[in-house]
Amino acid sequence: MNKTAVRAAVGLGLGGALTAAVLTGAQADEEHDARSPQLDVNYKDGSLNSGIPNLTTTHAKAKDASEVVRSGDDHAVTHKVTLDDPDYVSNGAPRSESATDKLPEGRIEVGDEHRYEFDVLLKDWKTYKPGDPTNGDIIFQGKHAGGNRPSFYLMAQRNSVEFRSPLLNLQTTVVDDFKPYINKWMTFRVDVRWTDDKTGYYKVSSKLPGESGFTLRKTYKDVKTFHPENPTTFGYLKWGLYRPDQTIDNGNVPTRTVEHDNIRVLDLAKGAGASKSR
């Protein structure tokens, strides 16, 4: 059974009752858009850069800040951050992330219309209780280059997954309560038309364990999606774990770990092509 089938079996809670004969390859492919991606980071070769030479891997120094781990019969990447430890600091903040800043097929430019899909697993995640700090842990970003803030990101905050566009002051809940899905794979999709005027859009969808397809959670229309504060001509993607403004003294969870897999970029301006074999 391939990794997609393993994840589906776990999510449905059927254990050994669901066999490869029941979940065919075609059914597994339906978890993702069928058109061929312009970028597919799937960690199948077991390497930290997924066999893509210019994929940026973590800048944090700790050996376990980012590793490739077994996931089903395949692999995924982990990012780990321990607060107040300089070995888990990157660019002056507690973070460990991978990025597409050096990959043309992973860059963002005005005029692009992209679909971003990724799988994420909150590893042994300590849940929020009333009175705990409310900081969000950022797990995926569509980032403006040049030291700018992101156009959008997804974060685990309290016990939900939130979509946020900070400069536009937009925020919506994508997963109301992720507690049942800790240590299980969730899949997210963000469609964006990248514009420097108010003709862009964000469409945010999720597919949770046990669900047969994506659910559109929020659409923002007629918004300016490419809006850096400092001059830049491009953006890029980041995934992993970024824990802004968190410290142990403030009561934040000392260590968190997140896993990612199947990070895909699709060009929505092109027609649907043949399904990519998996």
Side-chain angles (χ1 to χ4, degrees), residues 122 125-128 137 139 155-162 173-184 186 188 208-209 256:
L122 303 177
W125 203 264
K126 184 177 180 181
T127 57
Y128 170 85
D137 293 278
I139 57 176
M155 63 178 172
Q157 186 178 37
R158 297 184 175 92
N159 292 321
S160 66
V161 176
E162 303 284 324
T173 300
V174 184
V175 178
D176 299 303
D177 182 4
F178 61 65
K179 294 195 299 295
Y181 313 121
I182 293 171
N183 294 323
K184 298 180 181 180
M186 300 178 285
F188 297 95
L208 302 177
R256 289 205 188 275

Side-chain angles (χ1 to χ4, degrees), residues 194-217:
W194 292 103
T195 65
D196 56 5
D197 58 20
K198 291 186 177 181
T199 60
Y201 67 77
Y202 300 110
K203 297 178 182 179
V204 191
S205 303
S206 65
K207 191 166 80 67
L208 302 177
E211 296 181 347
S212 60
F214 283 92
T215 298
L216 179 64
R217 297 302 304 259

Side-chain angles (χ1 to χ4, degrees), residues 40-238:
D40 188 356
V41 185
N42 53 44
Y43 299 99
K44 289 184 182 297
D45 71 345
S47 67
L48 201 57
N49 67 357
S50 191
I52 303 171
N54 290 324
L55 182 71
T56 298
T57 56
T58 185
H59 292 154
K61 296 178 181 178
K63 182 179 179 181
D64 61 351
S66 185
E67 299 177 303
V68 174
V69 297
R70 297 293 302 184
S71 177
D73 61 357
D74 204 341
H75 300 87
V77 68
T78 69
H79 292 87
K80 174 181 175 181
V81 175
T82 297
L83 299 176
D84 303 338
D85 186 331
D87 286 345
Y88 296 92
V89 169
S90 176
N91 297 327
R95 71 172 96 203
S96 178
E97 297 172 296
S98 299
T100 64
D101 52 320
K102 297 179 181 178
L103 293 174
E105 59 270 37
R107 285 190 171 190
I108 296 161
E109 296 179 352
V110 172
D112 289 337
E113 191 168 3
H114 286 166
R115 168 164 290 172
Y116 308 112
E117 293 181 343
F118 68 96
D119 299 340
V120 67
L121 182 150
L122 303 177
K123 181 67 174 175
D124 300 332
W125 203 264
K126 184 177 180 181
T127 57
Y128 170 85
K129 295 180 176 58
D132 289 345
T134 59
N135 308 74
D137 293 278
I138 296 174
I139 57 176
F140 190 89
Q141 302 186 55
K143 182 87 163 58
H144 297 114
N148 286 284
R149 286 189 284 175
S151 171
F152 75 87
Y153 57 79
L154 283 92
M155 63 178 172
Q157 186 178 37
R158 297 184 175 92
N159 292 321
S160 66
V161 176
E162 303 284 324
F163 170 90
R164 180 164 172 74
S165 181
L167 290 171
L168 299 182
N169 198 28
L170 304 175
Q171 184 166 330
T172 193
T173 300
V174 184
V175 178
D176 299 303
D177 182 4
F178 61 65
K179 294 195 299 295
Y181 313 121
I182 293 171
N183 294 323
K184 298 180 181 180
W185 287 98
M186 300 178 285
T187 303
F188 297 95
R189 174 183 285 173
V190 182
D191 295 347
V192 188
R193 179 186 292 140
W194 292 103
T195 65
D196 56 5
D197 58 20
K198 291 186 177 181
T199 60
Y201 67 77
Y202 300 110
K203 297 178 182 179
V204 191
S205 303
S206 65
K207 191 166 80 67
L208 302 177
E211 296 181 347
S212 60
F214 283 92
T215 298
L216 179 64
R217 297 302 304 259
K218 185 68 177 182
T219 298
Y220 293 105
K221 296 181 179 179
D222 302 322
V223 292
K224 182 178 180 179
T225 53
F226 194 89
H227 43 66
E229 297 167 291
N230 305 316
T232 187
T233 59
F234 74 96
Y236 58 96
L237 304 176
K238 300 180 80 174

